[in-house]
Amino acid sequence: MASDDISHREAERLRGLDEAARVATTFEAIAERGAVWVWGDEGDILFTEDARRRNLLPIWPFATVARLENEGEVDGEHAIRIPVKAFVTQWLPQLEEDDADIAVFPVEERNAAILTLAEFRSRLR
């Protein structure tokens, strides 16, 4: 387990929280640990769509919750740690180009929140 990760038991507890608590947990973890977690492999990052077919980048506060949500779906995929500084300076501009929003802490295909990039930036402050 990485030093910035949590136990399986804690991850299961967090996955059971309601949407507002999962959003709060995500931003607390970002502030405390300075990173977000995405899912993918060396060549691709997982994106999803909402009912309006809007592109979404799912993020998680910890690798373990990302693994519980995705592991076993595609061989070779894993949780990828993105330092928040790199996420803001490199990823957000690319997401803007791709016209994508952010899906916060999805559990069983239910997002805790869908944030525009401006909303996400505002929450980081």
Side-chain angles (χ1 to χ4, degrees):
M1 182 165 48
S3 63
D4 58 352
D5 207 3
I6 57 173
S7 70
H8 183 87
R9 171 182 244 157
E10 178 65 3
E12 287 289 1
R13 185 188 73 75
L14 294 177
R15 290 180 79 228
L17 296 174
D18 68 18
E19 286 81 4
R22 291 197 330 263
V23 170
T25 296
T26 299
F27 283 95
E28 289 166 8
I30 291 170
E32 191 175 296
R33 298 168 186 259
V36 299
W37 291 87
V38 298
W39 190 258
D41 61 23
E42 302 314 314
D44 278 325
I45 298 299
L46 172 74
F47 279 81
T48 61
E49 290 184 340
D50 66 5
R52 298 186 328 217
R53 303 197 50 85
R54 182 173 39 172
N55 286 328
L56 303 172
L57 173 67
I59 64 165
W60 290 271
F62 303 101
T64 301
V65 290
R67 274 193 295 280
L68 288 173
E69 189 62 24
N70 297 288
E71 201 162 56
E73 290 186 18
V74 178
D75 285 343
E77 289 188 344
H78 57 279
I80 300 168
R81 184 182 187 276
I82 310 297
V84 73
K85 184 174 181 175
F87 193 76
V88 168
T89 60
Q90 298 167 17
W91 286 65
L92 291 183
Q94 184 62 51
L95 291 172
E96 197 158 30
E97 270 185 42
D98 296 341
D99 196 29
D101 290 326
I102 296 174
V104 178
F105 201 156
V107 172
E108 297 174 4
E109 299 183 24
R110 290 178 295 113
N111 302 312
I114 295 174
L115 301 178
T116 66
L117 303 181
E119 290 169 332
F120 184 82
R121 282 185 184 102
S122 176
R123 292 288 264 320
L124 284 178
R125 295 185 185 130

